[in-house]
Amino acid sequence: MKVQSPEIRGGIRVSELIEMMKRTGFNARRLGEAAQVCNEMIKNDTFVFMTVAGAMVPAGMRNIIAGMLKNGFVNCLVTTGANIVHEISESLGLGHEIGSSYANDLELAERNINRIYDVFIAQEAFEKIEEFLSGVITELDGTYTSYEFLWEIGKRLDDSSSFLRIAWEKKIPIFCPTLHDSIAGLHVSIYRKDLQIDFFRDVNRMIDLCFQKRRMGVIIVGGGVPKNFTLQAMLLADGFDYAVQITTDSPQWGGLSGATLEEAKSWCKLKPDAKAVTVYCDATIALPLLYAFMLDSSLSGQTEK
């Protein structure tokens, strides 16, 4: 098959464009192939884990994550404490502001504004988050997994678009193995009385999910702890049938965030014949496109039925 340049026209659908990308080169083709793998996961009733590292919520990706949970494209989410904190900020109506990476950070500090590359968030937001979380934490006692604790948070968020709220309503586990490494973790440490977060129960539950007798898939956004926490749970099971990875890191430095999915096969985290694609792209570009393709394909399938 020859390389074919996409035939762009006015009103083209995202799914059509990504289909054309499968006949191009480089990471455009990888994105098209990744979309195809995601589509197969949906059609084959796959249990899908999604790992989200980095500052995806501050960058505006929360509706994408929420939509993937709500539409059944993702059955389990693994993310960082930072993304949880920023999701709470959004759900409380505090949000983030479009800023600039060229801002004077000393001036921002004087104005009580925090910078995440080109996104700003006011210090006041973290004060409101602390007020909200302190109320949740002091109401709880006993031992919780991280996902049970996050369900308690989601239950108390009056925001139907929050992925924490959606997870609680649909009983989708959201694991946060780095909860203690975040502002939320600081508040748990300060305000808890008899509340305990048992991260080892998280591990046991993850392993149980991996032992399901059905097709298993994973969508990896970034790398870090969420990626490792999810892939290592497959060490005792049979390995993933499908895997899609979006990363801007590279493998030659030896870090997990850039480690290839082929390398994961050497650990038996993926099955030898697993369909796996790595897309080297900014996740804030690739993830919305993948979700749009999956949503469009899913709606088209419903229409055909």
Side-chain angles (χ1 to χ4, degrees), residues 26-224:
F26 309 149
N27 280 286
R29 185 196 303 167
R30 286 173 179 262
L31 183 61
E33 292 171 347
Q36 182 176 329
V37 171
C38 288
N39 200 26
E40 283 191 38
M41 286 195 240
I42 297 169
K43 289 183 176 180
N44 291 328
D45 190 31
T46 305
F47 188 94
V48 180
F49 293 86
M50 182 177 180
T51 79
V52 180
M56 290 294 100
V57 173
M61 297 294 104
R62 69 184 298 253
N63 285 345
I64 309 299
I65 299 168
M68 294 182 83
L69 296 179
K70 193 170 185 178
N71 286 291
F73 300 156
V74 170
N75 308 101
C76 176
L77 180 66
V78 183
T79 190
T80 60
N83 277 316
I84 296 299
V85 168
H86 290 286
E87 173 63 9
I88 293 171
S89 174
E90 290 283 345
S91 298
L92 295 177
L94 304 169
H96 301 76
E97 300 293 330
I98 293 176
S100 170
S101 61
Y102 301 105
N104 185 312
D105 290 292
L106 296 181
E107 289 181 4
L108 292 178
E110 290 178 358
R111 294 164 54 196
N112 292 317
I113 295 174
N114 302 276
R115 181 170 70 89
I116 308 166
Y117 187 55
D118 62 357
V119 173
F120 294 165
I121 181 169
Q123 185 61 32
E124 181 187 5
F126 295 108
E127 295 167 3
K128 297 293 185 182
I129 292 168
E130 179 177 3
E131 182 181 338
F132 168 77
L133 282 176
S134 66
V136 176
I137 294 163
T138 53
E139 289 179 8
L140 303 176
D141 58 62
T143 303
Y144 293 76
T145 58
S146 69
Y147 68 86
E148 290 169 336
F149 176 64
L150 295 180
W151 282 345
E152 292 293 336
I153 292 175
K155 180 168 64 175
R156 292 165 172 82
L157 289 173
D158 187 21
D159 177 12
S160 60
S161 65
S162 170
F163 64 74
L164 291 171
R165 177 78 184 192
I166 292 167
W168 171 68
E169 291 174 345
K170 297 175 72 71
K171 290 297 176 285
I172 297 171
I174 298 181
F175 293 93
C176 187
T178 61
L179 181 65
H180 52 301
D181 183 28
S182 71
I183 290 173
L186 290 176
H187 296 330
V188 171
S189 177
I190 293 169
Y191 291 104
R192 71 185 177 93
K193 295 178 181 177
D194 297 319
L195 169 66
Q196 299 289 334
I197 308 295
D198 189 342
F199 292 104
F200 289 103
R201 279 178 54 194
D202 278 7
V203 175
N204 292 338
R205 181 59 181 148
M206 280 289 288
I207 293 171
D208 287 343
L209 291 174
C210 289
F211 267 98
Q212 296 177 88
K213 297 302 180 183
R214 58 189 294 189
R215 291 183 179 90
M216 307 296 288
V218 61
I219 299 171
I220 302 166
V221 181

Side-chain angles (χ1 to χ4, degrees), residues 1-5 20 22-24 29:
M1 179 185 296
K2 291 185 177 181
V3 171
Q4 298 179 26
S5 180
M20 294 177 188
K22 290 192 293 187
R23 296 183 290 276
T24 62
R29 185 196 303 167

